[in-house]
Amino acid sequence: MISFAGSHAGTMFGKGAYFAECSSKADEYARSGEDLFEGVYAMLLCRVACGEPFHTEQPDLKSIEQALLARTADFVLGDREKARGTYREFVVFDQEVVYPEYVLLYERVPDHEGKVRVVEDDAIEEAEE
């Protein structure tokens, strides 16, 4: 099991490791570093072997636990994108299925109004052309 689950943020879909398809979801939980790393944020880019999903739009810890114990599911796909228009969350409960491949260090860059905005992939492609 994953020992620090829930120690920094909530456990909406159980005490596991939470992953997302969008880096902006991870950025919501990132904290600025200290001293030399002030203003620098970090996130892990991981490969995750998910297996069979328990698909849900709402937190239902009892049903999640039953599915995991019965081995009808290997991980939880919390579809907050469908339910609330935010993000899909992938929650695994076994550290052996997670391979941290890269550590990404980045800075948040405000726009001309002083707001930090998410840049979509299309905008990056347009800027590169």
Side-chain angles (χ1 to χ4, degrees):
M1 284 300 203
I2 298 175
S3 60
F4 290 106
S7 61
H8 176 66
T11 55
M12 179 178 284
F13 299 110
K15 289 188 174 184
Y18 284 63
F19 299 90
E21 300 159 305
C22 299
S23 60
S24 54
K25 177 63 178 174
D27 180 63
E28 290 179 2
Y29 297 95
R31 294 182 184 169
S32 177
E34 297 176 3
D35 300 322
L36 179 63
F37 292 101
E38 185 175 341
V40 176
Y41 298 81
M43 73 175 69
L44 293 174
L45 180 62
C46 300
R47 291 181 187 255
V48 182
C50 292
E52 190 65 35
F54 177 87
H55 190 269
T56 184
E57 295 175 27
Q58 301 296 325
D60 183 353
L61 296 179
K62 185 176 180 181
S63 295
I64 291 169
E65 186 176 307
Q66 288 173 347
L68 294 171
L69 289 172
R71 298 193 184 269
T72 58
D74 300 303
F75 78 103
V76 175
L77 171 52
D79 200 343
R80 305 295 289 160
E81 181 179 51
K82 187 174 180 182
R84 302 265 189 220
T86 59
Y87 300 97
R88 296 191 321 162
E89 299 184 35
F90 301 79
V91 186
V92 298
F93 303 91
D94 185 358
Q95 65 190 18
E96 279 79 32
V97 303
V98 179
Y99 178 75
E101 191 154 358
Y102 297 99
V103 174
L104 306 175
L105 300 176
Y106 63 98
E107 294 177 335
R108 294 175 179 161
V109 180
D111 64 10
H112 65 280
E113 297 173 355
K115 297 178 182 175
V116 176
R117 299 183 190 267
V118 175
V119 178
E120 299 295 329
D121 290 339
D122 294 331
I124 293 171
E125 290 173 10
E126 289 175 13
E128 290 175 350
E129 293 176 359

